[in-house]
Amino acid sequence: MERSNAGLTSRNVLHTSKYHPHAFYNRVFAVTYTLAIFALLYHHAVALLHSPNAPSICLLIADFILAFMWSTTQSYRMRPMIRQVFPENLEKSLSRRDFPPMDIFICTADPYKEPPINVVNTALSVMAYDYPTEKMSVKKNIMERCPDVYLSSNYLQCSETEEIKVMYEIMKTRVEYQLKRGKVSDEYIFSEQERKIFDKWSNDFTPTNHPTLIQVLLESCKDKDVSGTCMPNLIYVSREKNSLFSHQYKAGALNALLRVSAIMTNAPLVLTLDCDMYSNDPTTPHRVLCYLSDASIKPELGYIQFPQRFHGLNKADIYGSEFLRLNVCNPMGMDGFAGPNYGGSGCFFQRRAFFGGPSTILFTTEIEELSPNHIADKPLASEAILQLAHHVADCSYENNTTWGTEIGLRYKSLSEDYYTGYRLQCDGWKSVLCHPDRPAFLGDIPITLIDSLNQNKRWSVGPLDVAISKYCPLTFGVSKIGFLMAYGYAYFAFLSSLSIPITIYAFLPQLALLARVSVFPKATDLWVCLYIFLFLGAYAQDCFDCITYGGTLRRWWSEQRVWLARGVSSYVFGLAEYISKHLNIGMQGFNVTSKVFDEEQKKRYDQGKFEFGVPSPMFVPIASASIINLVAFLDGSIHVLNGGSVDELFVQIFVAGFAVLNSLPVYEAMVLRRDKGRMPTKITVISTFVAAALYAASVCI
């Protein structure tokens, strides 16, 4: 099936869409695999009726959760959508003077984890979009418009580019120097206007307690570059921080930006970006307009999501940071229904989408300027505009309003992007995935294991707030967006539940093997064929998806290996954090993923070495599981070599051996390595005691 935007001839087509050709085969496999799952659950039930015991009950729970989570992923495979846009045809149907104004939100939280120079590079890269000068910016015909990337490439060297390079390096040195000092020195303040800006900062300000600060840095058609070309608007906003409102996190920052931008510009198009996601293609807005110019889909089109892609990945992608399934495969699957979820960055919204469903506008307060229909026509730096902008940016502004619940980005979840996209689609909005060959944005990736695990912990705990609420996708979602679409959202909502089956399979069969207790069918039993099919089928399908959507076999192996590590660490700690929060025991809360690294860490990452280094509690279950699996595999193998029966213990030996194969980087870090990224001795010792304690407990039971 292939569709194109209505009302345009083939020469003027702006976008087309068709279902992925693998959809039919995915459906056939899903039916076959589902029957195998029912057979396995039947086998468990029969076994429990004849001989109920704790290991069998645990394995039934593990297989049931794995079956449920596998079933949620099938919604992505039923009818994945492939889209294509033709921005070269855009000017045939849309004059550049008709391009809508655009506001760009770049969010940053911690200057020590998110280097300010990265924020500068991201801001400059999008300020240089190929867009009408009075509405954004145009410069030269250069694709890499992020300064750091351009100056690191084989750029054309001439007097002009060399001058720009010198200016950039001076700026970079100044920014990094001031960051180390913690304040801006007087020698770097060159005008009275700049002094007034920095005088607003008081020594009493803290990262969690300070008033709103808004400063117009550039005003379009008033500020011009050296060639006389109008510069785009550039506005610095530091929303009010107050410990009483710390739960709002990034969603609170974006809502503050949404209100401030409404007062100052009220552009109908809004782009949200993480501070490290620089623009990699200056024509990206043209691709967006290929959809927004189609009158047949625009009324219900809430946002256009670009896949999050990353630079700096090593060849093996040892931490599975590319997230092909999360960023490409799953969104393409959702695009076959109501559209992909909001990914938190690289997303173009119609401002109208934040103010109720497609057919209803929700008016927020008595302030008319916040309406999406308001026309902002006053100077940005006027006293009245700045005063009103400061007012709507206050934390207390949202009290007794529907901001965060019915309007703007939503606060129910720590993963505000997941929840916001979900609720927008429940309100009736559609979305599309725009996946060009050249990534629209490129971001940083964590190069240490602890940063990667913390990132995944945050992603797993946030959607739980939605799962355990009246907005659960399995109830509320099904009634609003249909079963398959809601089932896709359920995968993210219950992601942390994977900690249960992965932890069970990481420890229980191995401990039973050490005790010479069989928990699986014999190798000669026909039921073992069912286990083999389910194991190979799931891994083969996952591998096939990875290769299909641009991955490699090596990266797939890394991704599934890290998936197992997350299961006994990130997901376990995320689930524990969620439970402790609701028991009022305390919670760790939002953690910014560090984008700062030293050269030695980067060198080890490029060599494909896991970076442990810090004595984190999250490494304890990973190391403990690695130790138990190695001991169980060696003990079981020796038992077989000494004449023991392999028939009853074959599956358990295989499971332990598979875990050992996945744990090779852990053994290397514990025993062979001597660099700073090795497993801390403290963690190795603690993990050894934990493994011994688990073995002793299993023997006693």
Side-chain angles (χ1 to χ4, degrees):
M1 175 181 181
E2 186 161 348
R3 298 176 294 179
S4 64
N5 46 305
L8 294 176
T9 65
S10 59
R11 289 182 299 172
N12 293 336
V13 165
L14 296 180
H15 65 89
T16 61
S17 61
K18 63 180 180 180
Y19 294 126
H20 200 288
H22 293 162
F24 172 76
Y25 304 102
N26 290 340
R27 296 171 189 176
V28 172
F29 180 81
V31 172
T32 306
Y33 201 85
T34 299
L35 293 174
I37 288 175
F38 281 126
L40 177 65
L41 296 178
Y42 168 79
H43 172 69
H44 277 301
V46 171
L48 282 174
L49 287 174
H50 285 84
S51 180
N53 55 73
S56 296
I57 294 174
C58 289
L59 289 175
L60 172 59
I61 294 172
D63 288 343
F64 181 82
I65 295 174
L66 284 174
F68 168 72
M69 293 303 293
W70 175 87
S71 69
T72 61
T73 66
Q74 297 315 297
S75 59
Y76 307 127
R77 297 180 169 108
M78 292 300 99
R79 53 179 189 184
M81 182 72 73
I82 300 175
R83 296 185 184 271
Q84 187 174 2
V85 295
F86 304 94
E88 64 273 11
N89 293 337
L90 186 64
E91 294 191 5
K92 299 175 184 178
S93 58
L94 187 69
S95 170
R96 288 176 69 86
R97 65 174 177 269
D98 295 327
F99 281 23
M102 175 171 54
D103 286 343
I104 301 173
F105 299 165
I106 302 173
C107 292
T108 180
D110 188 336
Y112 296 99
K113 290 186 176 181
E114 301 170 322
I117 194 63
N118 285 10
V119 185
V120 171
N121 276 289
T122 296
L124 291 175
S125 71
V126 292
M127 288 171 66
Y129 266 151
D130 186 7
Y131 216 67
T133 54
E134 70 279 7
K135 299 176 181 180
M136 262 304 306
S137 173
V138 170
K139 294 298 182 290
K140 296 189 176 181
N141 188 23
I142 298 170
M143 292 298 286
E144 290 83 6
R145 298 189 183 179
C146 169
D148 187 65
V149 175
Y150 175 71
L151 294 173
S152 300
S153 65
N154 295 321
Y155 63 92
L156 177 63
Q157 296 187 357
C158 62
S159 59
E160 185 180 11
T161 56
E162 289 305 304
E163 181 181 356
I164 292 174
K165 181 177 182 180
V166 171
M167 292 170 61
Y168 174 75
E169 292 299 334
I170 292 174
M171 177 190 69
K172 182 177 180 180
T173 301
R174 287 176 176 174
V175 170
E176 292 175 347
Y177 175 69
Q178 303 310 314
L179 180 63
K180 289 180 181 179
R181 292 200 62 202
K183 64 177 294 185
V184 178
S185 307
D186 289 341
E187 62 265 29
Y188 292 114
I189 300 177
F190 300 103
S191 68
E192 188 61 28
Q193 181 185 11
E194 291 179 358
R195 184 170 298 281
K196 289 181 179 179
I197 296 172
F198 292 113
D199 282 348
K200 294 180 179 181
W201 289 92
S202 165
N203 292 331
D204 296 329
F205 286 11
T206 68
T208 58
N209 192 357
H210 64 74
T212 298
L213 295 172
I214 301 175
Q215 184 67 40
V216 178
L217 302 178
L218 295 174
E219 188 169 356
S220 181
C221 295
K222 178 179 179 182
D223 293 295
K224 299 181 179 181
D225 62 17
V226 293
S227 65
T229 303
C230 290
M231 296 292 287
N233 295 321
L234 180 61
I235 305 164
Y236 171 80
V237 179
S238 178
R239 65 169 177 142
E240 178 189 12
K241 291 291 183 69
N242 189 310
S243 58
L244 296 177
F245 298 93
S246 61
H247 66 283
Q248 294 177 5
Y249 305 119
K250 183 178 175 181
L254 287 170
N255 277 342
L257 289 173
L258 192 63
R259 294 192 297 271
V260 170
S261 69
I263 300 299
M264 305 185 88
T265 63
N266 211 32
L269 193 59
V270 172
L271 164 62
T272 64
L273 275 181
D274 282 343
C275 65
D276 65 314
M277 297 292 294
Y278 68 81
S279 168
N280 187 54
D281 186 349
T283 66
T284 294
H286 294 210
R287 300 179 185 278
V288 172
L289 294 180
C290 285
Y291 293 108
L292 293 179
S293 300
D294 185 353
S296 66
I297 65 172
K298 182 179 179 179
E300 293 184 344
L301 183 59
Y303 56 90
I304 297 96
Q305 177 69 57
F306 286 80
Q308 292 194 37
R309 308 304 295 269
F310 308 95
H311 63 90
L313 291 167
N314 60 20
K315 290 183 179 180
D317 186 18
I318 55 175
Y319 303 135
S321 299
E322 190 173 23
F323 292 108
L324 273 178
R325 177 165 298 286
L326 178 67
N327 293 319
V328 179
C329 179
N330 293 357
M332 285 182 68
M334 299 176 83
D335 204 10
F337 300 99
N341 188 25
Y342 169 38
S345 184
C347 188
F348 289 79
F349 286 93
Q350 290 204 70
R351 183 183 293 268
R352 171 69 183 80
F354 292 114
F355 295 87
S359 58
T360 305
I361 295 181
L362 300 178
F363 290 95
T364 59
T365 65
E366 72 284 356
I367 299 179
E368 179 185 351
E369 287 83 353
L370 293 184
S371 167
N373 296 329
H374 167 69
I375 298 176
D377 54 2
K378 296 180 181 179
L380 299 183
S382 67
E383 187 63 29
I385 290 296
L386 289 176
Q387 185 176 356
L388 187 55
H390 277 82
H391 172 61
V392 299
D394 287 348
C395 286
S396 60
Y397 177 81
E398 297 185 356
N399 290 349
N400 302 316
T401 72
T402 54
W403 280 94
T405 56
E406 301 297 328
I407 294 176
L409 283 90
R410 315 302 166 88
Y411 295 150
K412 183 71 178 179
S413 171
L414 186 62
S415 300
E416 80 293 323
D417 47 2
Y418 164 81
Y419 184 52
T420 296
Y422 168 59
R423 287 294 305 278
L424 289 180
Q425 291 190 337
C426 288
D427 287 344
W429 291 104
K430 307 295 183 183
S431 62
V432 297
L433 178 73
C434 191
H435 181 31
D437 293 334
R438 181 184 177 89
F441 305 96
L442 288 175
D444 293 332
I445 44 93
I447 65 169
T448 66
L449 182 59
I450 188 60
D451 280 336
S452 176
L453 295 178
N454 276 327
Q455 183 184 62
N456 280 273
K457 183 192 73 171
R458 186 172 73 248
W459 291 347
S460 67
V461 71
L464 264 179
D465 289 314
V466 183
I468 314 299
S469 74
K470 69 176 183 179
Y471 296 108
C472 177
L474 297 180
T475 53
F476 182 84
V478 168
S479 66
K480 296 292 184 178
I481 53 179
F483 178 77
L484 286 176
M485 190 69 182
Y487 225 45
Y489 275 103
Y491 171 77
F492 297 105
F494 295 97
L495 186 63
S496 59
S497 69
L498 283 170
S499 61
I500 298 173
I502 294 177
T503 301
I504 289 174
Y505 270 101
F507 291 98
L508 191 147
Q510 296 79 357
L511 293 172
L513 176 59
L514 290 170
R516 300 292 183 265
V517 176
S518 176
V519 294
F520 293 112
K522 296 180 180 179
T524 55
D525 194 325
L526 284 178
W527 283 108
V528 82
C529 297
L530 181 62
Y531 279 89
I532 293 173
F533 171 75
L534 289 170
F535 174 83
L536 294 180
Y539 272 88
Q541 185 182 46
D542 192 66
C543 180
F544 179 75
D545 285 345
C546 179
I547 302 298
T548 298
Y549 291 100
T552 65
L553 188 61
R554 190 177 180 185
R555 289 192 171 185
W556 167 78
W557 175 257
S558 294
E559 184 176 349
Q560 69 83 29
R561 177 174 59 192
V562 175
W563 178 75
L564 295 174
R566 293 171 191 152
V568 296
S569 57
S570 301
Y571 301 157
V572 169
F573 279 79
L575 190 60
E577 183 177 303
Y578 176 82
I579 294 172
S580 67
K581 179 182 71 173
H582 287 272
L583 293 177
N584 293 321
I585 297 175
M587 59 175 290
Q588 188 174 349
F590 179 81
N591 288 312
V592 178
T593 303
S594 177
K595 307 300 190 306
V596 180
F597 54 85
D598 60 43
E599 290 302 320
E600 288 300 316
Q601 286 180 335
K602 184 65 168 64
K603 182 179 179 180
R604 289 191 290 270
Y605 175 77
D606 291 339
Q607 292 172 345
K609 294 182 178 180
F610 274 59
E611 184 74 24
F612 292 92
V614 297
S616 170
M618 275 207 277
F619 294 155
V620 173
I622 295 175
S624 299
S626 299
I627 292 170
I628 283 181
N629 276 273
L630 179 61
V631 173
F633 177 71
L634 293 176
D635 181 74
S637 300
I638 292 172
H639 173 72
V640 171
L641 292 175
N642 288 336
S645 173
V646 69
D647 194 24
E648 293 186 349
L649 303 177
F650 171 78
V651 177
Q652 285 159 262
I653 294 175
F654 172 81
V655 170
F658 183 72
V660 168
L661 186 62
N662 281 277
S663 301
L664 291 180
V666 181
Y667 303 135
E668 180 188 26
M670 286 194 294
V671 180
L672 301 179
R673 288 170 55 183
R674 292 294 178 265
D675 55 68
K676 292 182 180 180
R678 71 187 302 271
M679 181 75 76
T681 304
K682 178 181 178 180
I683 297 297
T684 302
V685 172
I686 293 174
S687 301
T688 302
F689 276 109
V690 169
L694 288 173
Y695 172 68
S698 67
V699 171
C700 294
I701 294 175

